[in-house]
Amino acid sequence: METTKFILIGGGGHARVVLSIIEAQETSILEGVFDSNPKIEALDGVENFQNYNPDLFPNALAFIAIGDNRIRKQLTQTIQHAFGVLIHPTASIDRLSLAGEGSVVMHHAVIQRGTKIGKHGIINTACSVDHDCILGDFVHIAPNATLCGGVQIGDETFIGAGVVVLPQIKIGKRVIIGAGTVVTKNIPDGATVIGNPGKIIKSHGAI
């Protein structure tokens, strides 16, 4: 069986979880890490080569292992490797759902039928994403969040831990939904929302 080789861009805590997903797949290995922080010599035993070098490990797939949506987006412009997709074996993804390149689906997450996840998305630990949801690029759904059926989320939006989004809600681009919020109505671009029910406490509009 052919082995899939990866490199990680980023060597922090999020990257450690991503590495655990690679390790959980019998046919995947991590070749190296690229993080410019000189204090990081290795990531759980895998060498940190610091500044990204496209000539190293040319046959590996790259994965940007950084939780911040904007930084992840910026880095995609600098990477010359092809991007991979990582899904933990305990995650459940319906056969008619899709995850875009550079995306990760973490431990015990559930993605139901007809859902589409854009590029470089993060579906974090134990998330529940129900049927027919549409997530844009560079979206991060934090641990234990629940998206009910038919939810739409714009690019670069962050959904905090334990958030509940009711069915058919539309959330704009670059939105921040605070942990534990219950989203009961549509949210415009650039808003920050907290509470139960969720209330907009800051709105920057389209950015």
Side-chain angles (χ1 to χ4, degrees), residues 88-108:
H88 193 271
T90 61
S92 175
I93 303 179
D94 186 86
R95 67 180 181 85
L96 297 182
S97 292
L98 300 171
E101 69 174 25
S103 290
V104 59
V105 181
M106 292 188 172
H107 312 58
H108 301 289

Side-chain angles (χ1 to χ4, degrees), residues 16-97:
R16 295 188 72 195
V17 180
V18 172
L19 174 54
S20 79
I21 297 173
I22 294 173
E23 292 173 342
Q25 299 174 346
E26 294 181 358
T27 60
S28 297
I29 61 169
L30 181 61
E31 297 266 76
V33 176
F34 295 90
D35 191 307
S36 59
N37 185 348
K39 295 182 179 180
I40 300 175
E41 296 182 357
L43 180 68
D44 293 344
V46 180
E47 183 177 356
N48 177 22
F49 294 87
Q50 297 196 355
N51 294 322
Y52 171 69
N53 183 345
D55 295 325
L56 290 178
F57 314 113
N59 296 320
L61 295 174
F63 195 90
I64 300 177
I66 294 173
D68 186 286
N69 294 337
R70 293 195 182 188
I71 294 176
R72 208 159 60 253
K73 182 179 180 180
Q74 292 168 359
L75 286 173
T76 61
Q77 310 303 314
T78 68
I79 305 303
Q80 298 180 31
H81 284 71
F83 291 106
V85 174
L86 287 170
I87 299 171
H88 193 271
T90 61
S92 175
I93 303 179
D94 186 86
R95 67 180 181 85
L96 297 182
S97 292

Side-chain angles (χ1 to χ4, degrees), residues 93-139:
I93 303 179
D94 186 86
R95 67 180 181 85
L96 297 182
S97 292
L98 300 171
E101 69 174 25
S103 290
V104 59
V105 181
M106 292 188 172
H107 312 58
H108 301 289
V110 176
I111 300 175
Q112 298 287 13
R113 180 153 295 201
T115 285
K116 296 181 180 179
I117 299 164
K119 297 177 181 179
H120 301 280
I122 298 171
I123 308 299
N124 220 311
T125 307
C127 287
S128 176
V129 183
D130 218 302
H131 65 89
D132 301 307
C133 291
I134 299 176
L135 281 59
D137 298 337
F138 307 101
V139 167

